[in-house]
mmCIF file of all heavy atoms in Angstrom:
data_model
loop_
_atom_site.group_PDB
_atom_site.id
_atom_site.type_symbol
_atom_site.label_atom_id
_atom_site.label_comp_id
_atom_site.label_asym_id
_atom_site.label_seq_id
_atom_site.Cartn_x
_atom_site.Cartn_y
_atom_site.Cartn_z
ATOM 1 N N GLU A 1 56.741 103.293 -36.077
ATOM 2 C CA GLU A 1 57.401 104.560 -35.795
ATOM 3 C C GLU A 1 56.547 105.756 -36.219
ATOM 4 O O GLU A 1 56.798 106.875 -35.769
ATOM 5 C CB GLU A 1 58.756 104.605 -36.497
ATOM 6 C CG GLU A 1 59.749 103.563 -35.984
ATOM 7 C CD GLU A 1 61.081 103.635 -36.688
ATOM 8 O OE1 GLU A 1 61.236 104.495 -37.587
ATOM 9 O OE2 GLU A 1 61.971 102.837 -36.355
ATOM 10 N N GLU A 2 55.559 105.521 -37.063
ATOM 11 C CA GLU A 2 54.750 106.622 -37.580
ATOM 12 C C GLU A 2 53.634 107.016 -36.625
ATOM 13 O O GLU A 2 53.277 108.193 -36.532
ATOM 14 C CB GLU A 2 54.168 106.228 -38.943
ATOM 15 C CG GLU A 2 53.404 107.341 -39.640
ATOM 16 C CD GLU A 2 52.915 106.925 -41.016
ATOM 17 O OE1 GLU A 2 53.764 106.770 -41.920
ATOM 18 O OE2 GLU A 2 51.698 106.733 -41.191
ATOM 19 N N SER A 3 53.058 106.046 -35.918
ATOM 20 C CA SER A 3 51.918 106.353 -35.061
ATOM 21 C C SER A 3 51.762 105.291 -33.979
ATOM 22 O O SER A 3 52.001 104.104 -34.223
ATOM 23 C CB SER A 3 50.634 106.422 -35.886
ATOM 24 O OG SER A 3 49.491 106.525 -35.060
ATOM 25 N N GLU A 4 51.323 105.728 -32.795
ATOM 26 C CA GLU A 4 51.034 104.781 -31.724
ATOM 27 C C GLU A 4 49.833 103.898 -32.060
ATOM 28 O O GLU A 4 49.615 102.864 -31.432
ATOM 29 C CB GLU A 4 50.769 105.525 -30.417
ATOM 30 C CG GLU A 4 49.547 106.430 -30.451
ATOM 31 C CD GLU A 4 49.285 107.112 -29.121
ATOM 32 O OE1 GLU A 4 49.931 106.738 -28.117
ATOM 33 O OE2 GLU A 4 48.448 108.034 -29.084
ATOM 34 N N HIS A 5 49.042 104.300 -33.040
ATOM 35 C CA HIS A 5 47.885 103.506 -33.460
ATOM 36 C C HIS A 5 48.276 102.358 -34.386
ATOM 37 O O HIS A 5 47.443 101.505 -34.676
ATOM 38 C CB HIS A 5 46.856 104.402 -34.151
ATOM 39 C CG HIS A 5 46.277 105.454 -33.260
ATOM 40 N ND1 HIS A 5 45.268 105.199 -32.370
ATOM 41 C CD2 HIS A 5 46.602 106.760 -33.104
ATOM 42 C CE1 HIS A 5 44.963 106.309 -31.718
ATOM 43 N NE2 HIS A 5 45.758 107.263 -32.138
ATOM 44 N N ASP A 6 49.520 102.362 -34.864
ATOM 45 C CA ASP A 6 50.021 101.275 -35.708
ATOM 46 C C ASP A 6 50.748 100.279 -34.801
ATOM 47 O O ASP A 6 51.925 100.449 -34.479
ATOM 48 C CB ASP A 6 50.966 101.799 -36.781
ATOM 49 C CG ASP A 6 50.266 102.684 -37.795
ATOM 50 O OD1 ASP A 6 49.042 102.875 -37.672
ATOM 51 O OD2 ASP A 6 50.947 103.207 -38.697
ATOM 52 N N SER A 7 50.045 99.241 -34.388
ATOM 53 C CA SER A 7 50.601 98.329 -33.395
ATOM 54 C C SER A 7 51.589 97.339 -33.989
ATOM 55 O O SER A 7 52.413 96.770 -33.267
ATOM 56 C CB SER A 7 49.478 97.562 -32.696
ATOM 57 O OG SER A 7 48.758 96.771 -33.627
ATOM 58 N N PHE A 8 51.524 97.136 -35.312
ATOM 59 C CA PHE A 8 52.421 96.168 -35.939
ATOM 60 C C PHE A 8 52.624 96.566 -37.391
ATOM 61 O O PHE A 8 51.662 96.814 -38.121
ATOM 62 C CB PHE A 8 51.838 94.752 -35.866
ATOM 63 C CG PHE A 8 52.852 93.662 -36.076
ATOM 64 C CD1 PHE A 8 53.634 93.214 -35.031
ATOM 65 C CD2 PHE A 8 53.026 93.090 -37.328
ATOM 66 C CE1 PHE A 8 54.584 92.207 -35.214
ATOM 67 C CE2 PHE A 8 53.967 92.091 -37.531
ATOM 68 C CZ PHE A 8 54.749 91.647 -36.467
ATOM 69 N N GLY A 9 53.878 96.656 -37.815
ATOM 70 C CA GLY A 9 54.180 97.000 -39.196
ATOM 71 C C GLY A 9 54.129 95.788 -40.095
ATOM 72 O O GLY A 9 54.304 94.653 -39.639
ATOM 73 N N ALA A 10 53.904 96.012 -41.371
ATOM 74 C CA ALA A 10 53.838 94.899 -42.322
ATOM 75 C C ALA A 10 53.987 95.431 -43.733
ATOM 76 O O ALA A 10 53.853 96.621 -43.988
ATOM 77 C CB ALA A 10 52.528 94.141 -42.178
ATOM 78 N N GLY A 11 54.232 94.527 -44.645
ATOM 79 C CA GLY A 11 54.277 94.831 -46.059
ATOM 80 C C GLY A 11 54.177 93.554 -46.875
ATOM 81 O O GLY A 11 54.024 93.595 -48.081
ATOM 82 N N HIS A 12 54.272 92.424 -46.183
ATOM 83 C CA HIS A 12 54.120 91.115 -46.801
ATOM 84 C C HIS A 12 52.840 90.467 -46.285
ATOM 85 O O HIS A 12 52.405 90.722 -45.158
ATOM 86 C CB HIS A 12 55.313 90.213 -46.472
ATOM 87 C CG HIS A 12 56.601 90.673 -47.081
ATOM 88 N ND1 HIS A 12 57.781 89.985 -46.892
ATOM 89 C CD2 HIS A 12 56.906 91.735 -47.861
ATOM 90 C CE1 HIS A 12 58.752 90.615 -47.539
ATOM 91 N NE2 HIS A 12 58.245 91.681 -48.127
ATOM 92 N N ALA A 13 52.249 89.616 -47.096
ATOM 93 C CA ALA A 13 50.960 89.017 -46.756
ATOM 94 C C ALA A 13 51.112 87.862 -45.773
ATOM 95 O O ALA A 13 52.141 87.201 -45.715
ATOM 96 C CB ALA A 13 50.269 88.513 -48.023
ATOM 97 N N GLY A 14 50.033 87.637 -45.011
ATOM 98 C CA GLY A 14 49.943 86.451 -44.175
ATOM 99 C C GLY A 14 50.488 86.593 -42.773
ATOM 100 O O GLY A 14 50.479 85.633 -42.003
ATOM 101 N N THR A 15 50.951 87.785 -42.390
ATOM 102 C CA THR A 15 51.614 87.935 -41.097
ATOM 103 C C THR A 15 50.666 88.315 -39.966
ATOM 104 O O THR A 15 51.014 88.168 -38.792
ATOM 105 C CB THR A 15 52.712 89.003 -41.175
ATOM 106 O OG1 THR A 15 52.127 90.274 -41.481
ATOM 107 C CG2 THR A 15 53.732 88.654 -42.252
ATOM 108 N N ALA A 16 49.472 88.820 -40.278
ATOM 109 C CA ALA A 16 48.632 89.444 -39.259
ATOM 110 C C ALA A 16 48.172 88.475 -38.182
ATOM 111 O O ALA A 16 48.193 88.805 -36.991
ATOM 112 C CB ALA A 16 47.422 90.114 -39.910
ATOM 113 N N LEU A 17 47.721 87.288 -38.571
ATOM 114 C CA LEU A 17 47.125 86.389 -37.587
ATOM 115 C C LEU A 17 48.169 85.914 -36.580
ATOM 116 O O LEU A 17 47.909 85.881 -35.369
ATOM 117 C CB LEU A 17 46.452 85.203 -38.278
ATOM 118 C CG LEU A 17 45.623 84.291 -37.372
ATOM 119 C CD1 LEU A 17 44.612 85.078 -36.555
ATOM 120 C CD2 LEU A 17 44.910 83.221 -38.199
ATOM 121 N N SER A 18 49.351 85.544 -37.034
ATOM 122 C CA SER A 18 50.403 85.118 -36.109
ATOM 123 C C SER A 18 50.792 86.247 -35.168
ATOM 124 O O SER A 18 50.951 86.041 -33.953
ATOM 125 C CB SER A 18 51.636 84.645 -36.879
ATOM 126 O OG SER A 18 51.420 83.410 -37.517
ATOM 127 N N ALA A 19 50.975 87.449 -35.713
ATOM 128 C CA ALA A 19 51.368 88.589 -34.879
ATOM 129 C C ALA A 19 50.282 88.918 -33.867
ATOM 130 O O ALA A 19 50.561 89.155 -32.682
ATOM 131 C CB ALA A 19 51.669 89.801 -35.761
ATOM 132 N N ALA A 20 49.027 88.945 -34.323
ATOM 133 C CA ALA A 20 47.920 89.257 -33.415
ATOM 134 C C ALA A 20 47.792 88.199 -32.334
ATOM 135 O O ALA A 20 47.508 88.515 -31.162
ATOM 136 C CB ALA A 20 46.617 89.379 -34.203
ATOM 137 N N LEU A 21 48.002 86.946 -32.683
ATOM 138 C CA LEU A 21 47.929 85.875 -31.702
ATOM 139 C C LEU A 21 49.032 86.044 -30.656
ATOM 140 O O LEU A 21 48.807 85.834 -29.456
ATOM 141 C CB LEU A 21 48.039 84.519 -32.393
ATOM 142 C CG LEU A 21 47.942 83.282 -31.501
ATOM 143 C CD1 LEU A 21 46.658 83.296 -30.676
ATOM 144 C CD2 LEU A 21 48.024 82.017 -32.351
ATOM 145 N N GLY A 22 50.211 86.435 -31.092
ATOM 146 C CA GLY A 22 51.291 86.703 -30.145
ATOM 147 C C GLY A 22 50.945 87.843 -29.204
ATOM 148 O O GLY A 22 51.200 87.782 -27.986
ATOM 149 N N MET A 23 50.327 88.896 -29.753
ATOM 150 C CA MET A 23 49.954 90.043 -28.930
ATOM 151 C C MET A 23 48.846 89.678 -27.948
ATOM 152 O O MET A 23 48.854 90.098 -26.779
ATOM 153 C CB MET A 23 49.531 91.195 -29.842
ATOM 154 C CG MET A 23 50.685 91.726 -30.688
ATOM 155 S SD MET A 23 50.162 92.672 -32.136
ATOM 156 C CE MET A 23 49.583 94.156 -31.357
ATOM 157 N N ALA A 24 47.867 88.888 -28.396
ATOM 158 C CA ALA A 24 46.778 88.470 -27.507
ATOM 159 C C ALA A 24 47.304 87.563 -26.399
ATOM 160 O O ALA A 24 46.887 87.670 -25.233
ATOM 161 C CB ALA A 24 45.696 87.758 -28.307
ATOM 162 N N THR A 25 48.221 86.687 -26.738
ATOM 163 C CA THR A 25 48.797 85.800 -25.731
ATOM 164 C C THR A 25 49.613 86.592 -24.722
ATOM 165 O O THR A 25 49.567 86.322 -23.513
ATOM 166 C CB THR A 25 49.657 84.727 -26.410
ATOM 167 O OG1 THR A 25 48.864 84.030 -27.379
ATOM 168 C CG2 THR A 25 50.211 83.736 -25.405
ATOM 169 N N ALA A 26 50.359 87.595 -25.212
ATOM 170 C CA ALA A 26 51.115 88.465 -24.300
ATOM 171 C C ALA A 26 50.175 89.214 -23.366
ATOM 172 O O ALA A 26 50.457 89.371 -22.170
ATOM 173 C CB ALA A 26 51.964 89.445 -25.102
ATOM 174 N N ARG A 27 49.051 89.662 -23.897
ATOM 175 C CA ARG A 27 48.036 90.308 -23.054
ATOM 176 C C ARG A 27 47.568 89.373 -21.948
ATOM 177 O O ARG A 27 47.485 89.753 -20.771
ATOM 178 C CB ARG A 27 46.844 90.718 -23.923
ATOM 179 C CG ARG A 27 45.622 91.217 -23.139
ATOM 180 C CD ARG A 27 44.362 91.055 -23.954
ATOM 181 N NE ARG A 27 44.098 89.653 -24.256
ATOM 182 C CZ ARG A 27 43.385 89.241 -25.306
ATOM 183 N NH1 ARG A 27 42.870 90.107 -26.146
ATOM 184 N NH2 ARG A 27 43.199 87.944 -25.491
ATOM 185 N N ASP A 28 47.288 88.137 -22.298
ATOM 186 C CA ASP A 28 46.829 87.163 -21.305
ATOM 187 C C ASP A 28 47.903 86.909 -20.246
ATOM 188 O O ASP A 28 47.605 86.817 -19.049
ATOM 189 C CB ASP A 28 46.458 85.847 -21.989
ATOM 190 C CG ASP A 28 45.323 86.012 -22.993
ATOM 191 O OD1 ASP A 28 44.616 87.034 -22.931
ATOM 192 O OD2 ASP A 28 45.160 85.113 -23.842
ATOM 193 N N LEU A 29 49.152 86.819 -20.673
ATOM 194 C CA LEU A 29 50.245 86.583 -19.738
ATOM 195 C C LEU A 29 50.441 87.761 -18.796
ATOM 196 O O LEU A 29 50.788 87.583 -17.618
ATOM 197 C CB LEU A 29 51.543 86.292 -20.505
ATOM 198 C CG LEU A 29 51.595 84.972 -21.284
ATOM 199 C CD1 LEU A 29 52.824 84.932 -22.188
ATOM 200 C CD2 LEU A 29 51.602 83.782 -20.325
ATOM 201 N N ARG A 30 50.203 88.959 -19.301
ATOM 202 C CA ARG A 30 50.383 90.168 -18.494
ATOM 203 C C ARG A 30 49.161 90.489 -17.644
ATOM 204 O O ARG A 30 49.225 91.328 -16.747
ATOM 205 C CB ARG A 30 50.695 91.350 -19.414
ATOM 206 C CG ARG A 30 52.042 91.234 -20.128
ATOM 207 C CD ARG A 30 52.159 92.223 -21.282
ATOM 208 N NE ARG A 30 51.923 93.588 -20.822
ATOM 209 C CZ ARG A 30 51.284 94.519 -21.527
ATOM 210 N NH1 ARG A 30 50.788 94.207 -22.721
ATOM 211 N NH2 ARG A 30 51.128 95.723 -21.052
ATOM 212 N N GLY A 31 48.031 89.868 -17.951
ATOM 213 C CA GLY A 31 46.826 90.101 -17.169
ATOM 214 C C GLY A 31 46.106 91.389 -17.484
ATOM 215 O O GLY A 31 45.348 91.910 -16.659
ATOM 216 N N THR A 32 46.284 91.931 -18.697
ATOM 217 C CA THR A 32 45.559 93.139 -19.112
ATOM 218 C C THR A 32 44.331 92.724 -19.913
ATOM 219 O O THR A 32 44.103 91.541 -20.176
ATOM 220 C CB THR A 32 46.475 94.058 -19.935
ATOM 221 O OG1 THR A 32 47.067 93.292 -21.017
ATOM 222 C CG2 THR A 32 47.605 94.614 -19.068
ATOM 223 N N ASP A 33 43.510 93.715 -20.316
ATOM 224 C CA ASP A 33 42.222 93.344 -20.917
ATOM 225 C C ASP A 33 41.945 94.001 -22.266
ATOM 226 O O ASP A 33 40.803 94.048 -22.713
ATOM 227 C CB ASP A 33 41.080 93.679 -19.947
ATOM 228 C CG ASP A 33 40.996 95.175 -19.653
ATOM 229 O OD1 ASP A 33 41.861 95.945 -20.149
ATOM 230 O OD2 ASP A 33 40.063 95.574 -18.927
ATOM 231 N N GLU A 34 42.975 94.515 -22.930
ATOM 232 C CA GLU A 34 42.748 95.134 -24.230
ATOM 233 C C GLU A 34 42.321 94.095 -25.267
ATOM 234 O O GLU A 34 42.552 92.902 -25.101
ATOM 235 C CB GLU A 34 43.999 95.867 -24.714
ATOM 236 C CG GLU A 34 45.177 94.975 -25.083
ATOM 237 C CD GLU A 34 46.103 94.676 -23.915
ATOM 238 O OE1 GLU A 34 45.689 94.909 -22.753
ATOM 239 O OE2 GLU A 34 47.230 94.206 -24.162
ATOM 240 N N HIS A 35 41.687 94.582 -26.326
ATOM 241 C CA HIS A 35 41.270 93.720 -27.429
ATOM 242 C C HIS A 35 42.343 93.718 -28.519
ATOM 243 O O HIS A 35 43.008 94.733 -28.761
ATOM 244 C CB HIS A 35 39.945 94.211 -28.027
ATOM 245 C CG HIS A 35 38.812 94.182 -27.053
ATOM 246 N ND1 HIS A 35 38.157 93.028 -26.708
ATOM 247 C CD2 HIS A 35 38.220 95.188 -26.339
ATOM 248 C CE1 HIS A 35 37.207 93.300 -25.834
ATOM 249 N NE2 HIS A 35 37.224 94.605 -25.580
ATOM 250 N N VAL A 36 42.483 92.588 -29.186
ATOM 251 C CA VAL A 36 43.388 92.465 -30.326
ATOM 252 C C VAL A 36 42.565 91.996 -31.518
ATOM 253 O O VAL A 36 41.831 91.005 -31.420
ATOM 254 C CB VAL A 36 44.539 91.484 -30.048
ATOM 255 C CG1 VAL A 36 45.450 91.385 -31.269
ATOM 256 C CG2 VAL A 36 45.336 91.916 -28.820
ATOM 257 N N VAL A 37 42.679 92.736 -32.615
ATOM 258 C CA VAL A 37 41.904 92.443 -33.819
ATOM 259 C C VAL A 37 42.861 92.244 -34.986
ATOM 260 O O VAL A 37 43.668 93.125 -35.297
ATOM 261 C CB VAL A 37 40.918 93.587 -34.153
ATOM 262 C CG1 VAL A 37 40.094 93.230 -35.393
ATOM 263 C CG2 VAL A 37 40.019 93.890 -32.962
ATOM 264 N N ALA A 38 42.784 91.095 -35.635
ATOM 265 C CA ALA A 38 43.557 90.836 -36.851
ATOM 266 C C ALA A 38 42.650 91.046 -38.057
ATOM 267 O O ALA A 38 41.593 90.418 -38.154
ATOM 268 C CB ALA A 38 44.100 89.415 -36.843
ATOM 269 N N VAL A 39 43.044 91.944 -38.952
ATOM 270 C CA VAL A 39 42.267 92.211 -40.167
ATOM 271 C C VAL A 39 42.996 91.543 -41.329
ATOM 272 O O VAL A 39 44.046 92.014 -41.765
ATOM 273 C CB VAL A 39 42.105 93.719 -40.420
ATOM 274 C CG1 VAL A 39 41.226 93.960 -41.652
ATOM 275 C CG2 VAL A 39 41.509 94.409 -39.191
ATOM 276 N N CYS A 40 42.452 90.433 -41.798
ATOM 277 C CA CYS A 40 43.119 89.603 -42.804
ATOM 278 C C CYS A 40 42.332 89.608 -44.108
ATOM 279 O O CYS A 40 41.116 89.417 -44.100
ATOM 280 C CB CYS A 40 43.241 88.158 -42.317
ATOM 281 S SG CYS A 40 44.075 87.971 -40.738
ATOM 282 N N GLY A 41 43.016 89.796 -45.222
ATOM 283 C CA GLY A 41 42.377 89.618 -46.512
ATOM 284 C C GLY A 41 42.134 88.148 -46.777
ATOM 285 O O GLY A 41 42.797 87.270 -46.198
ATOM 286 N N ASP A 42 41.191 87.875 -47.668
ATOM 287 C CA ASP A 42 40.909 86.473 -47.976
ATOM 288 C C ASP A 42 42.131 85.767 -48.543
ATOM 289 O O ASP A 42 42.355 84.578 -48.275
ATOM 290 C CB ASP A 42 39.709 86.346 -48.920
ATOM 291 C CG ASP A 42 39.753 87.332 -50.078
ATOM 292 O OD1 ASP A 42 40.586 88.241 -50.053
ATOM 293 O OD2 ASP A 42 38.934 87.184 -51.001
ATOM 294 N N ALA A 43 42.956 86.482 -49.301
ATOM 295 C CA ALA A 43 44.143 85.852 -49.882
ATOM 296 C C ALA A 43 45.169 85.481 -48.824
ATOM 297 O O ALA A 43 46.023 84.626 -49.058
ATOM 298 C CB ALA A 43 44.779 86.782 -50.913
ATOM 299 N N ALA A 44 45.103 86.120 -47.638
ATOM 300 C CA ALA A 44 46.042 85.766 -46.569
ATOM 301 C C ALA A 44 45.877 84.318 -46.151
ATOM 302 O O ALA A 44 46.824 83.694 -45.656
ATOM 303 C CB ALA A 44 45.839 86.685 -45.366
ATOM 304 N N PHE A 45 44.668 83.771 -46.354
ATOM 305 C CA PHE A 45 44.427 82.393 -45.945
ATOM 306 C C PHE A 45 44.960 81.385 -46.956
ATOM 307 O O PHE A 45 44.832 80.181 -46.760
ATOM 308 C CB PHE A 45 42.939 82.183 -45.660
ATOM 309 C CG PHE A 45 42.516 82.813 -44.364
ATOM 310 C CD1 PHE A 45 42.113 84.133 -44.319
ATOM 311 C CD2 PHE A 45 42.571 82.098 -43.185
ATOM 312 C CE1 PHE A 45 41.756 84.733 -43.124
ATOM 313 C CE2 PHE A 45 42.211 82.690 -41.980
ATOM 314 C CZ PHE A 45 41.808 84.012 -41.948
ATOM 315 N N THR A 46 45.585 81.870 -48.030
ATOM 316 C CA THR A 46 46.339 80.981 -48.908
ATOM 317 C C THR A 46 47.798 80.913 -48.472
ATOM 318 O O THR A 46 48.567 80.139 -49.030
ATOM 319 C CB THR A 46 46.271 81.449 -50.376
ATOM 320 O OG1 THR A 46 46.977 82.691 -50.515
ATOM 321 C CG2 THR A 46 44.839 81.629 -50.825
ATOM 322 N N CYS A 47 48.196 81.749 -47.509
ATOM 323 C CA CYS A 47 49.562 81.739 -46.991
ATOM 324 C C CYS A 47 49.704 80.653 -45.931
ATOM 325 O O CYS A 47 48.881 80.581 -45.003
ATOM 326 C CB CYS A 47 49.915 83.088 -46.362
ATOM 327 S SG CYS A 47 49.961 84.462 -47.510
#
C-alpha cells in the first residue's frame, strides 16, 4: 500500500522465495516478460 515498487509485503523470514516463485510462475502463465528477483538473507535458508 505504500509504493508500487513494493511488490510483496513481509515482516517474517523465509517468505521471499515462495512468493517470488509464485509471481514468476504467474508471469509465465500470463505470457509477460518481466523479471522477478528474490532477495534472501542467508538465514532465510534455515527456514
Side-chain angles (χ1 to χ4, degrees):
E1 295 180 0
E2 185 177 290
S3 171
E4 63 178 350
H5 297 279
D6 294 359
S7 62
F8 199 84
H12 293 180
T15 63
L17 188 52
S18 288
L21 182 55
M23 294 161 72
T25 304
R27 171 203 62 205
D28 299 343
L29 292 170
R30 294 165 55 217
T32 53
D33 62 357
E34 69 271 15
H35 298 283
V36 180
V37 182
V39 183
C40 304
D42 45 349
F45 286 88
T46 68
C47 295

